[in-house]
PDB file of all heavy atoms in Angstrom:
ATOM      1  N   VAL A  23       3.656  -1.603  14.126  1.00  0.00           N
ATOM      2  CA  VAL A  23       3.454  -0.152  14.203  1.00  0.00           C
ATOM      3  C   VAL A  23       4.704   0.533  14.658  1.00  0.00           C
ATOM      4  O   VAL A  23       5.388   0.034  15.586  1.00  0.00           O
ATOM      5  CB  VAL A  23       2.267   0.180  15.223  1.00  0.00           C
ATOM      6  CG1 VAL A  23       2.346   1.617  15.681  1.00  0.00           C
ATOM      7  CG2 VAL A  23       0.906  -0.093  14.681  1.00  0.00           C
ATOM      8  N   GLY A  24       5.045   1.623  13.904  1.00  0.00           N
ATOM      9  CA  GLY A  24       6.268   2.380  14.321  1.00  0.00           C
ATOM     10  C   GLY A  24       7.559   1.882  13.553  1.00  0.00           C
ATOM     11  O   GLY A  24       8.534   2.553  13.689  1.00  0.00           O
ATOM     12  N   GLU A  25       7.437   0.755  12.830  1.00  0.00           N
ATOM     13  CA  GLU A  25       8.526   0.220  12.048  1.00  0.00           C
ATOM     14  C   GLU A  25       8.411   0.460  10.611  1.00  0.00           C
ATOM     15  O   GLU A  25       7.268   0.861  10.068  1.00  0.00           O
ATOM     16  CB  GLU A  25       8.653  -1.277  12.289  1.00  0.00           C
ATOM     17  CG  GLU A  25       8.839  -1.672  13.767  1.00  0.00           C
ATOM     18  CD  GLU A  25       8.960  -3.181  13.958  1.00  0.00           C
ATOM     19  OE1 GLU A  25       8.535  -3.917  13.036  1.00  0.00           O
ATOM     20  OE2 GLU A  25       9.390  -3.550  15.055  1.00  0.00           O
ATOM     21  N   THR A  26       9.477   0.284   9.882  1.00  0.00           N
ATOM     22  CA  THR A  26       9.494   0.444   8.381  1.00  0.00           C
ATOM     23  C   THR A  26       9.849  -0.887   7.706  1.00  0.00           C
ATOM     24  O   THR A  26      10.442  -1.735   8.280  1.00  0.00           O
ATOM     25  CB  THR A  26      10.522   1.499   7.989  1.00  0.00           C
ATOM     26  OG1 THR A  26      11.844   1.141   8.551  1.00  0.00           O
ATOM     27  CG2 THR A  26      10.189   2.892   8.496  1.00  0.00           C
ATOM     28  N   ALA A  27       9.414  -0.971   6.443  1.00  0.00           N
ATOM     29  CA  ALA A  27       9.644  -2.144   5.655  1.00  0.00           C
ATOM     30  C   ALA A  27       9.451  -1.851   4.206  1.00  0.00           C
ATOM     31  O   ALA A  27       8.803  -0.913   3.818  1.00  0.00           O
ATOM     32  CB  ALA A  27       8.767  -3.305   6.073  1.00  0.00           C
ATOM     33  N   LEU A  28      10.145  -2.611   3.383  1.00  0.00           N
ATOM     34  CA  LEU A  28      10.004  -2.527   1.939  1.00  0.00           C
ATOM     35  C   LEU A  28       8.869  -3.519   1.438  1.00  0.00           C
ATOM     36  O   LEU A  28       9.016  -4.768   1.636  1.00  0.00           O
ATOM     37  CB  LEU A  28      11.308  -2.865   1.242  1.00  0.00           C
ATOM     38  CG  LEU A  28      11.493  -2.470  -0.225  1.00  0.00           C
ATOM     39  CD1 LEU A  28      11.536  -0.976  -0.312  1.00  0.00           C
ATOM     40  CD2 LEU A  28      12.796  -3.058  -0.758  1.00  0.00           C
ATOM     41  N   LEU A  29       7.811  -2.945   0.987  1.00  0.00           N
ATOM     42  CA  LEU A  29       6.604  -3.787   0.632  1.00  0.00           C
ATOM     43  C   LEU A  29       6.260  -3.626  -0.839  1.00  0.00           C
ATOM     44  O   LEU A  29       6.493  -2.649  -1.451  1.00  0.00           O
ATOM     45  CB  LEU A  29       5.423  -3.437   1.459  1.00  0.00           C
ATOM     46  CG  LEU A  29       5.544  -3.430   2.999  1.00  0.00           C
ATOM     47  CD1 LEU A  29       4.208  -3.002   3.658  1.00  0.00           C
ATOM     48  CD2 LEU A  29       6.040  -4.810   3.454  1.00  0.00           C
ATOM     49  N   LYS A  30       5.622  -4.648  -1.421  1.00  0.00           N
ATOM     50  CA  LYS A  30       5.294  -4.649  -2.818  1.00  0.00           C
ATOM     51  C   LYS A  30       3.771  -4.137  -2.940  1.00  0.00           C
ATOM     52  O   LYS A  30       2.912  -4.560  -2.202  1.00  0.00           O
ATOM     53  CB  LYS A  30       5.383  -6.049  -3.432  1.00  0.00           C
ATOM     54  CG  LYS A  30       5.134  -6.086  -4.879  1.00  0.00           C
ATOM     55  CD  LYS A  30       5.427  -7.485  -5.496  1.00  0.00           C
ATOM     56  CE  LYS A  30       6.913  -7.842  -5.392  1.00  0.00           C
ATOM     57  NZ  LYS A  30       7.734  -6.951  -6.271  1.00  0.00           N
ATOM     58  N   VAL A  31       3.596  -3.382  -4.015  1.00  0.00           N
ATOM     59  CA  VAL A  31       2.224  -2.832  -4.282  1.00  0.00           C
ATOM     60  C   VAL A  31       1.502  -3.934  -5.075  1.00  0.00           C
ATOM     61  O   VAL A  31       2.003  -4.410  -6.081  1.00  0.00           O
ATOM     62  CB  VAL A  31       2.335  -1.537  -5.162  1.00  0.00           C
ATOM     63  CG1 VAL A  31       0.904  -1.079  -5.541  1.00  0.00           C
ATOM     64  CG2 VAL A  31       3.094  -0.464  -4.411  1.00  0.00           C
ATOM     65  N   VAL A  32       0.343  -4.355  -4.540  1.00  0.00           N
ATOM     66  CA  VAL A  32      -0.389  -5.479  -5.217  1.00  0.00           C
ATOM     67  C   VAL A  32      -1.559  -4.891  -6.008  1.00  0.00           C
ATOM     68  O   VAL A  32      -2.036  -5.575  -6.953  1.00  0.00           O
ATOM     69  CB  VAL A  32      -0.833  -6.473  -4.213  1.00  0.00           C
ATOM     70  CG1 VAL A  32       0.327  -7.235  -3.557  1.00  0.00           C
ATOM     71  CG2 VAL A  32      -1.731  -5.851  -3.138  1.00  0.00           C
ATOM     72  N   GLU A  33      -2.008  -3.707  -5.708  1.00  0.00           N
ATOM     73  CA  GLU A  33      -3.118  -3.120  -6.411  1.00  0.00           C
ATOM     74  C   GLU A  33      -3.191  -1.621  -6.024  1.00  0.00           C
ATOM     75  O   GLU A  33      -2.768  -1.157  -5.005  1.00  0.00           O
ATOM     76  CB  GLU A  33      -4.416  -3.722  -5.901  1.00  0.00           C
ATOM     77  CG  GLU A  33      -5.675  -3.330  -6.666  1.00  0.00           C
ATOM     78  CD  GLU A  33      -6.936  -3.979  -6.112  1.00  0.00           C
ATOM     79  OE1 GLU A  33      -6.816  -4.851  -5.280  1.00  0.00           O
ATOM     80  OE2 GLU A  33      -8.029  -3.603  -6.548  1.00  0.00           O
ATOM     81  N   VAL A  34      -3.631  -0.841  -7.031  1.00  0.00           N
ATOM     82  CA  VAL A  34      -3.941   0.557  -6.854  1.00  0.00           C
ATOM     83  C   VAL A  34      -5.415   0.833  -7.055  1.00  0.00           C
ATOM     84  O   VAL A  34      -6.004   0.474  -8.135  1.00  0.00           O
ATOM     85  CB  VAL A  34      -3.109   1.456  -7.818  1.00  0.00           C
ATOM     86  CG1 VAL A  34      -3.415   2.914  -7.554  1.00  0.00           C
ATOM     87  CG2 VAL A  34      -1.642   1.237  -7.620  1.00  0.00           C
ATOM     88  N   GLY A  35      -6.083   1.293  -5.986  1.00  0.00           N
ATOM     89  CA  GLY A  35      -7.575   1.514  -6.058  1.00  0.00           C
ATOM     90  C   GLY A  35      -7.935   2.974  -6.002  1.00  0.00           C
ATOM     91  O   GLY A  35      -7.154   3.854  -6.262  1.00  0.00           O
ATOM     92  N   LYS A  36      -9.223   3.263  -5.655  1.00  0.00           N
ATOM     93  CA  LYS A  36      -9.724   4.564  -5.622  1.00  0.00           C
ATOM     94  C   LYS A  36      -9.323   5.389  -4.464  1.00  0.00           C
ATOM     95  O   LYS A  36      -9.333   6.616  -4.533  1.00  0.00           O
ATOM     96  CB  LYS A  36     -11.285   4.547  -5.650  1.00  0.00           C
ATOM     97  CG  LYS A  36     -11.835   3.936  -6.950  1.00  0.00           C
ATOM     98  CD  LYS A  36     -13.404   3.886  -6.918  1.00  0.00           C
ATOM     99  CE  LYS A  36     -13.972   3.324  -8.184  1.00  0.00           C
ATOM    100  NZ  LYS A  36     -15.406   3.278  -8.190  1.00  0.00           N
ATOM    101  N   ILE A  37      -8.934   4.785  -3.356  1.00  0.00           N
ATOM    102  CA  ILE A  37      -8.528   5.499  -2.205  1.00  0.00           C
ATOM    103  C   ILE A  37      -7.056   5.438  -1.878  1.00  0.00           C
ATOM    104  O   ILE A  37      -6.586   6.029  -0.887  1.00  0.00           O
ATOM    105  CB  ILE A  37      -9.373   4.972  -0.963  1.00  0.00           C
ATOM    106  CG1 ILE A  37      -9.031   3.461  -0.683  1.00  0.00           C
ATOM    107  CG2 ILE A  37     -10.825   5.224  -1.110  1.00  0.00           C
ATOM    108  CD1 ILE A  37      -9.703   2.950   0.556  1.00  0.00           C
ATOM    109  N   GLY A  38      -6.338   4.641  -2.642  1.00  0.00           N
ATOM    110  CA  GLY A  38      -4.897   4.464  -2.374  1.00  0.00           C
ATOM    111  C   GLY A  38      -4.380   3.202  -2.987  1.00  0.00           C
ATOM    112  O   GLY A  38      -5.047   2.523  -3.813  1.00  0.00           O
ATOM    113  N   ALA A  39      -3.181   2.810  -2.521  1.00  0.00           N
ATOM    114  CA  ALA A  39      -2.610   1.560  -3.028  1.00  0.00           C
ATOM    115  C   ALA A  39      -2.723   0.478  -1.881  1.00  0.00           C
ATOM    116  O   ALA A  39      -2.844   0.876  -0.707  1.00  0.00           O
ATOM    117  CB  ALA A  39      -1.128   1.771  -3.402  1.00  0.00           C
ATOM    118  N   PHE A  40      -2.697  -0.735  -2.339  1.00  0.00           N
ATOM    119  CA  PHE A  40      -2.696  -1.850  -1.310  1.00  0.00           C
ATOM    120  C   PHE A  40      -1.445  -2.634  -1.376  1.00  0.00           C
ATOM    121  O   PHE A  40      -0.916  -2.913  -2.459  1.00  0.00           O
ATOM    122  CB  PHE A  40      -3.943  -2.739  -1.544  1.00  0.00           C
ATOM    123  CG  PHE A  40      -5.255  -2.004  -1.269  1.00  0.00           C
ATOM    124  CD1 PHE A  40      -5.893  -1.300  -2.251  1.00  0.00           C
ATOM    125  CD2 PHE A  40      -5.789  -2.039   0.000  1.00  0.00           C
ATOM    126  CE1 PHE A  40      -7.051  -0.608  -2.024  1.00  0.00           C
ATOM    127  CE2 PHE A  40      -6.950  -1.351   0.281  1.00  0.00           C
ATOM    128  CZ  PHE A  40      -7.576  -0.735  -0.703  1.00  0.00           C
ATOM    129  N   LEU A  41      -0.853  -2.908  -0.194  1.00  0.00           N
ATOM    130  CA  LEU A  41       0.475  -3.494  -0.104  1.00  0.00           C
ATOM    131  C   LEU A  41       0.435  -4.882   0.531  1.00  0.00           C
ATOM    132  O   LEU A  41      -0.394  -5.107   1.380  1.00  0.00           O
ATOM    133  CB  LEU A  41       1.410  -2.603   0.665  1.00  0.00           C
ATOM    134  CG  LEU A  41       1.336  -1.113   0.444  1.00  0.00           C
ATOM    135  CD1 LEU A  41       2.258  -0.342   1.390  1.00  0.00           C
ATOM    136  CD2 LEU A  41       1.774  -0.853  -1.043  1.00  0.00           C
ATOM    137  N   ASP A  42       1.342  -5.755   0.089  1.00  0.00           N
ATOM    138  CA  ASP A  42       1.423  -7.119   0.684  1.00  0.00           C
ATOM    139  C   ASP A  42       2.350  -6.967   1.854  1.00  0.00           C
ATOM    140  O   ASP A  42       3.463  -6.666   1.807  1.00  0.00           O
ATOM    141  CB  ASP A  42       2.073  -8.044  -0.346  1.00  0.00           C
ATOM    142  CG  ASP A  42       2.349  -9.442   0.180  1.00  0.00           C
ATOM    143  OD1 ASP A  42       1.890  -9.683   1.315  1.00  0.00           O
ATOM    144  OD2 ASP A  42       3.095 -10.224  -0.438  1.00  0.00           O
ATOM    145  N   TRP A  43       1.789  -7.255   3.086  1.00  0.00           N
ATOM    146  CA  TRP A  43       2.536  -7.183   4.302  1.00  0.00           C
ATOM    147  C   TRP A  43       2.643  -8.475   5.059  1.00  0.00           C
ATOM    148  O   TRP A  43       2.865  -8.537   6.229  1.00  0.00           O
ATOM    149  CB  TRP A  43       2.082  -6.016   5.119  1.00  0.00           C
ATOM    150  CG  TRP A  43       0.713  -6.073   5.649  1.00  0.00           C
ATOM    151  CD1 TRP A  43      -0.398  -6.399   4.984  1.00  0.00           C
ATOM    152  CD2 TRP A  43       0.319  -5.660   6.968  1.00  0.00           C
ATOM    153  NE1 TRP A  43      -1.468  -6.318   5.841  1.00  0.00           N
ATOM    154  CE2 TRP A  43      -1.102  -5.827   7.051  1.00  0.00           C
ATOM    155  CE3 TRP A  43       0.976  -5.209   8.098  1.00  0.00           C
ATOM    156  CZ2 TRP A  43      -1.793  -5.603   8.172  1.00  0.00           C
ATOM    157  CZ3 TRP A  43       0.200  -4.925   9.279  1.00  0.00           C
ATOM    158  CH2 TRP A  43      -1.109  -5.146   9.300  1.00  0.00           C
ATOM    159  N   GLY A  44       2.205  -9.553   4.355  1.00  0.00           N
ATOM    160  CA  GLY A  44       2.281 -10.850   4.950  1.00  0.00           C
ATOM    161  C   GLY A  44       1.020 -11.391   5.522  1.00  0.00           C
ATOM    162  O   GLY A  44       0.956 -12.571   5.981  1.00  0.00           O
ATOM    163  N   LEU A  45      -0.030 -10.607   5.539  1.00  0.00           N
ATOM    164  CA  LEU A  45      -1.340 -10.964   6.125  1.00  0.00           C
ATOM    165  C   LEU A  45      -2.367 -11.152   5.013  1.00  0.00           C
ATOM    166  O   LEU A  45      -2.180 -10.701   3.876  1.00  0.00           O
ATOM    167  CB  LEU A  45      -1.781 -10.073   7.172  1.00  0.00           C
ATOM    168  CG  LEU A  45      -0.789  -9.767   8.313  1.00  0.00           C
ATOM    169  CD1 LEU A  45      -1.483  -8.879   9.369  1.00  0.00           C
ATOM    170  CD2 LEU A  45      -0.386 -11.128   9.027  1.00  0.00           C
ATOM    171  N   GLU A  46      -3.521 -11.754   5.337  1.00  0.00           N
ATOM    172  CA  GLU A  46      -4.568 -12.061   4.415  1.00  0.00           C
ATOM    173  C   GLU A  46      -5.181 -10.738   3.823  1.00  0.00           C
ATOM    174  O   GLU A  46      -5.371 -10.603   2.646  1.00  0.00           O
ATOM    175  CB  GLU A  46      -5.718 -12.868   5.056  1.00  0.00           C
ATOM    176  CG  GLU A  46      -5.270 -14.347   5.288  1.00  0.00           C
ATOM    177  CD  GLU A  46      -6.434 -15.140   5.820  1.00  0.00           C
ATOM    178  OE1 GLU A  46      -7.538 -14.543   5.895  1.00  0.00           O
ATOM    179  OE2 GLU A  46      -6.257 -16.297   6.142  1.00  0.00           O
ATOM    180  N   LYS A  47      -5.346  -9.736   4.734  1.00  0.00           N
ATOM    181  CA  LYS A  47      -5.887  -8.491   4.256  1.00  0.00           C
ATOM    182  C   LYS A  47      -4.697  -7.578   3.909  1.00  0.00           C
ATOM    183  O   LYS A  47      -3.836  -7.301   4.748  1.00  0.00           O
ATOM    184  CB  LYS A  47      -6.685  -7.847   5.475  1.00  0.00           C
ATOM    185  CG  LYS A  47      -7.271  -6.503   5.064  1.00  0.00           C
ATOM    186  CD  LYS A  47      -7.957  -5.842   6.284  1.00  0.00           C
ATOM    187  CE  LYS A  47      -8.488  -4.437   5.924  1.00  0.00           C
ATOM    188  NZ  LYS A  47      -9.045  -3.773   7.115  1.00  0.00           N
ATOM    189  N   ASP A  48      -4.699  -7.059   2.713  1.00  0.00           N
ATOM    190  CA  ASP A  48      -3.645  -6.188   2.228  1.00  0.00           C
ATOM    191  C   ASP A  48      -3.659  -4.834   2.982  1.00  0.00           C
ATOM    192  O   ASP A  48      -4.721  -4.401   3.471  1.00  0.00           O
ATOM    193  CB  ASP A  48      -3.706  -5.908   0.756  1.00  0.00           C
ATOM    194  CG  ASP A  48      -3.432  -7.145  -0.063  1.00  0.00           C
ATOM    195  OD1 ASP A  48      -2.612  -7.997   0.382  1.00  0.00           O
ATOM    196  OD2 ASP A  48      -3.968  -7.296  -1.169  1.00  0.00           O
ATOM    197  N   LEU A  49      -2.543  -4.197   3.079  1.00  0.00           N
ATOM    198  CA  LEU A  49      -2.426  -2.952   3.868  1.00  0.00           C
ATOM    199  C   LEU A  49      -2.573  -1.763   2.943  1.00  0.00           C
ATOM    200  O   LEU A  49      -2.051  -1.587   1.914  1.00  0.00           O
ATOM    201  CB  LEU A  49      -1.019  -2.846   4.469  1.00  0.00           C
ATOM    202  CG  LEU A  49      -0.665  -1.618   5.292  1.00  0.00           C
ATOM    203  CD1 LEU A  49      -1.529  -1.586   6.507  1.00  0.00           C
ATOM    204  CD2 LEU A  49       0.844  -1.668   5.681  1.00  0.00           C
ATOM    205  N   LEU A  50      -3.430  -0.817   3.490  1.00  0.00           N
ATOM    206  CA  LEU A  50      -3.815   0.416   2.666  1.00  0.00           C
ATOM    207  C   LEU A  50      -2.700   1.501   2.817  1.00  0.00           C
ATOM    208  O   LEU A  50      -2.227   1.768   3.905  1.00  0.00           O
ATOM    209  CB  LEU A  50      -5.114   0.946   3.102  1.00  0.00           C
ATOM    210  CG  LEU A  50      -5.503   2.397   2.536  1.00  0.00           C
ATOM    211  CD1 LEU A  50      -5.770   2.264   1.022  1.00  0.00           C
ATOM    212  CD2 LEU A  50      -6.694   2.950   3.239  1.00  0.00           C
ATOM    213  N   LEU A  51      -2.243   1.986   1.663  1.00  0.00           N
ATOM    214  CA  LEU A  51      -1.409   3.194   1.569  1.00  0.00           C
ATOM    215  C   LEU A  51      -2.241   4.255   0.986  1.00  0.00           C
ATOM    216  O   LEU A  51      -2.402   4.365  -0.260  1.00  0.00           O
ATOM    217  CB  LEU A  51      -0.204   2.892   0.760  1.00  0.00           C
ATOM    218  CG  LEU A  51       0.698   4.095   0.428  1.00  0.00           C
ATOM    219  CD1 LEU A  51       1.284   4.763   1.647  1.00  0.00           C
ATOM    220  CD2 LEU A  51       1.814   3.738  -0.601  1.00  0.00           C
ATOM    221  N   PRO A  52      -2.827   5.195   1.744  1.00  0.00           N
ATOM    222  CA  PRO A  52      -3.684   6.259   1.254  1.00  0.00           C
ATOM    223  C   PRO A  52      -2.942   7.153   0.315  1.00  0.00           C
ATOM    224  O   PRO A  52      -1.739   7.375   0.398  1.00  0.00           O
ATOM    225  CB  PRO A  52      -4.124   7.005   2.501  1.00  0.00           C
ATOM    226  CG  PRO A  52      -3.955   6.074   3.666  1.00  0.00           C
ATOM    227  CD  PRO A  52      -2.771   5.262   3.271  1.00  0.00           C
ATOM    228  N   PHE A  53      -3.628   7.740  -0.670  1.00  0.00           N
ATOM    229  CA  PHE A  53      -3.015   8.643  -1.578  1.00  0.00           C
ATOM    230  C   PHE A  53      -2.307   9.825  -0.795  1.00  0.00           C
ATOM    231  O   PHE A  53      -1.165  10.250  -1.207  1.00  0.00           O
ATOM    232  CB  PHE A  53      -4.033   9.213  -2.540  1.00  0.00           C
ATOM    233  CG  PHE A  53      -4.471   8.266  -3.619  1.00  0.00           C
ATOM    234  CD1 PHE A  53      -5.763   7.970  -3.891  1.00  0.00           C
ATOM    235  CD2 PHE A  53      -3.476   7.707  -4.477  1.00  0.00           C
ATOM    236  CE1 PHE A  53      -6.122   7.055  -4.832  1.00  0.00           C
ATOM    237  CE2 PHE A  53      -3.818   6.739  -5.411  1.00  0.00           C
ATOM    238  CZ  PHE A  53      -5.208   6.423  -5.648  1.00  0.00           C
ATOM    239  N   LYS A  54      -2.917  10.306   0.231  1.00  0.00           N
ATOM    240  CA  LYS A  54      -2.289  11.435   0.957  1.00  0.00           C
ATOM    241  C   LYS A  54      -1.042  11.042   1.719  1.00  0.00           C
ATOM    242  O   LYS A  54      -0.271  11.953   2.053  1.00  0.00           O
ATOM    243  CB  LYS A  54      -3.359  11.973   1.965  1.00  0.00           C
ATOM    244  CG  LYS A  54      -3.745  11.104   3.171  1.00  0.00           C
ATOM    245  CD  LYS A  54      -4.775  11.730   3.956  1.00  0.00           C
ATOM    246  CE  LYS A  54      -5.184  10.794   5.203  1.00  0.00           C
ATOM    247  NZ  LYS A  54      -4.035  10.603   6.102  1.00  0.00           N
ATOM    248  N   GLU A  55      -0.731   9.744   1.834  1.00  0.00           N
ATOM    249  CA  GLU A  55       0.474   9.349   2.474  1.00  0.00           C
ATOM    250  C   GLU A  55       1.528   8.957   1.516  1.00  0.00           C
ATOM    251  O   GLU A  55       2.585   8.394   1.849  1.00  0.00           O
ATOM    252  CB  GLU A  55       0.154   8.207   3.447  1.00  0.00           C
ATOM    253  CG  GLU A  55      -0.740   8.532   4.627  1.00  0.00           C
ATOM    254  CD  GLU A  55      -0.073   9.621   5.526  1.00  0.00           C
ATOM    255  OE1 GLU A  55       1.148   9.648   5.612  1.00  0.00           O
ATOM    256  OE2 GLU A  55      -0.803  10.439   6.080  1.00  0.00           O
ATOM    257  N   GLN A  56       1.283   9.135   0.195  1.00  0.00           N
ATOM    258  CA  GLN A  56       2.264   8.840  -0.832  1.00  0.00           C
ATOM    259  C   GLN A  56       3.103  10.038  -1.199  1.00  0.00           C
ATOM    260  O   GLN A  56       2.580  11.129  -1.394  1.00  0.00           O
ATOM    261  CB  GLN A  56       1.544   8.335  -2.081  1.00  0.00           C
ATOM    262  CG  GLN A  56       0.748   7.015  -1.830  1.00  0.00           C
ATOM    263  CD  GLN A  56      -0.011   6.545  -3.087  1.00  0.00           C
ATOM    264  OE1 GLN A  56       0.384   6.873  -4.176  1.00  0.00           O
ATOM    265  NE2 GLN A  56      -1.035   5.674  -2.889  1.00  0.00           N
ATOM    266  N   THR A  57       4.425   9.909  -1.253  1.00  0.00           N
ATOM    267  CA  THR A  57       5.320  10.911  -1.701  1.00  0.00           C
ATOM    268  C   THR A  57       5.414  10.997  -3.140  1.00  0.00           C
ATOM    269  O   THR A  57       6.000  11.918  -3.767  1.00  0.00           O
ATOM    270  CB  THR A  57       6.602  10.852  -0.952  1.00  0.00           C
ATOM    271  OG1 THR A  57       7.185   9.581  -1.262  1.00  0.00           O
ATOM    272  CG2 THR A  57       6.451  10.971   0.539  1.00  0.00           C
ATOM    273  N   LYS A  58       4.952   9.948  -3.832  1.00  0.00           N
ATOM    274  CA  LYS A  58       4.973   9.881  -5.259  1.00  0.00           C
ATOM    275  C   LYS A  58       3.895   8.851  -5.624  1.00  0.00           C
ATOM    276  O   LYS A  58       3.527   8.027  -4.828  1.00  0.00           O
ATOM    277  CB  LYS A  58       6.288   9.498  -5.814  1.00  0.00           C
ATOM    278  CG  LYS A  58       6.724   8.144  -5.575  1.00  0.00           C
ATOM    279  CD  LYS A  58       8.063   7.808  -6.261  1.00  0.00           C
ATOM    280  CE  LYS A  58       8.477   6.326  -6.115  1.00  0.00           C
ATOM    281  NZ  LYS A  58       7.678   5.478  -6.979  1.00  0.00           N
ATOM    282  N   ARG A  59       3.369   8.922  -6.817  1.00  0.00           N
ATOM    283  CA  ARG A  59       2.325   7.881  -7.192  1.00  0.00           C
ATOM    284  C   ARG A  59       3.079   6.560  -7.454  1.00  0.00           C
ATOM    285  O   ARG A  59       4.097   6.476  -8.104  1.00  0.00           O
ATOM    286  CB  ARG A  59       1.668   8.394  -8.539  1.00  0.00           C
ATOM    287  CG  ARG A  59       0.592   9.380  -8.207  1.00  0.00           C
ATOM    288  CD  ARG A  59      -0.540   8.905  -7.334  1.00  0.00           C
ATOM    289  NE  ARG A  59      -1.541   9.881  -7.077  1.00  0.00           N
ATOM    290  CZ  ARG A  59      -1.669  10.457  -5.934  1.00  0.00           C
ATOM    291  NH1 ARG A  59      -0.811  10.192  -4.908  1.00  0.00           N
ATOM    292  NH2 ARG A  59      -2.556  11.371  -5.658  1.00  0.00           N
ATOM    293  N   VAL A  60       2.511   5.494  -6.870  1.00  0.00           N
ATOM    294  CA  VAL A  60       3.089   4.186  -7.029  1.00  0.00           C
ATOM    295  C   VAL A  60       2.345   3.359  -8.020  1.00  0.00           C
ATOM    296  O   VAL A  60       1.151   3.630  -8.358  1.00  0.00           O
ATOM    297  CB  VAL A  60       3.085   3.461  -5.621  1.00  0.00           C
ATOM    298  CG1 VAL A  60       3.869   4.307  -4.646  1.00  0.00           C
ATOM    299  CG2 VAL A  60       1.657   3.217  -5.132  1.00  0.00           C
ATOM    300  N   VAL A  61       2.958   2.296  -8.461  1.00  0.00           N
ATOM    301  CA  VAL A  61       2.333   1.502  -9.470  1.00  0.00           C
ATOM    302  C   VAL A  61       2.389  -0.009  -9.044  1.00  0.00           C
ATOM    303  O   VAL A  61       3.191  -0.386  -8.181  1.00  0.00           O
ATOM    304  CB  VAL A  61       3.026   1.598 -10.879  1.00  0.00           C
ATOM    305  CG1 VAL A  61       2.900   2.951 -11.387  1.00  0.00           C
ATOM    306  CG2 VAL A  61       4.490   1.142 -10.798  1.00  0.00           C
ATOM    307  N   ARG A  62       1.530  -0.816  -9.509  1.00  0.00           N
ATOM    308  CA  ARG A  62       1.406  -2.232  -9.222  1.00  0.00           C
ATOM    309  C   ARG A  62       2.704  -2.939  -9.445  1.00  0.00           C
ATOM    310  O   ARG A  62       3.334  -2.742 -10.542  1.00  0.00           O
ATOM    311  CB  ARG A  62       0.318  -2.886  -9.954  1.00  0.00           C
ATOM    312  CG  ARG A  62       0.069  -4.359  -9.637  1.00  0.00           C
ATOM    313  CD  ARG A  62      -1.105  -4.911 -10.379  1.00  0.00           C
ATOM    314  NE  ARG A  62      -1.416  -6.287 -10.020  1.00  0.00           N
ATOM    315  CZ  ARG A  62      -2.380  -7.030 -10.523  1.00  0.00           C
ATOM    316  NH1 ARG A  62      -3.231  -6.398 -11.471  1.00  0.00           N
ATOM    317  NH2 ARG A  62      -2.586  -8.205 -10.176  1.00  0.00           N
ATOM    318  N   GLY A  63       3.198  -3.757  -8.541  1.00  0.00           N
ATOM    319  CA  GLY A  63       4.477  -4.477  -8.698  1.00  0.00           C
ATOM    320  C   GLY A  63       5.640  -3.772  -8.164  1.00  0.00           C
ATOM    321  O   GLY A  63       6.703  -4.426  -8.047  1.00  0.00           O
TER     322      GLY A  63
END
């Protein structure tokens, strides 16, 4: 929390994108927190 990192988009769903951050459960990037639309990979 409070840090930044370069993460890969693994999926784009209905509520936002999901990112690989090294844990079993992918991290949600909500659409409202995107400064541009992201794509898988």
Side-chain angles (χ1 to χ4, degrees):
V23 163
E25 297 178 346
T26 55
L28 197 65
L29 303 182
K30 186 174 294 294
V31 178
V32 295
E33 185 181 355
V34 178
K36 294 181 179 180
I37 60 174
F40 292 90
L41 314 177
D42 175 12
W43 63 319
L45 302 183
E46 290 184 1
K47 180 187 177 184
D48 293 328
L49 179 65
L50 173 66
L51 170 63
F53 283 126
K54 67 182 180 67
E55 296 298 328
Q56 298 179 21
T57 56
K58 69 180 186 73
R59 285 294 179 257
V60 301
V61 297
R62 184 176 182 179

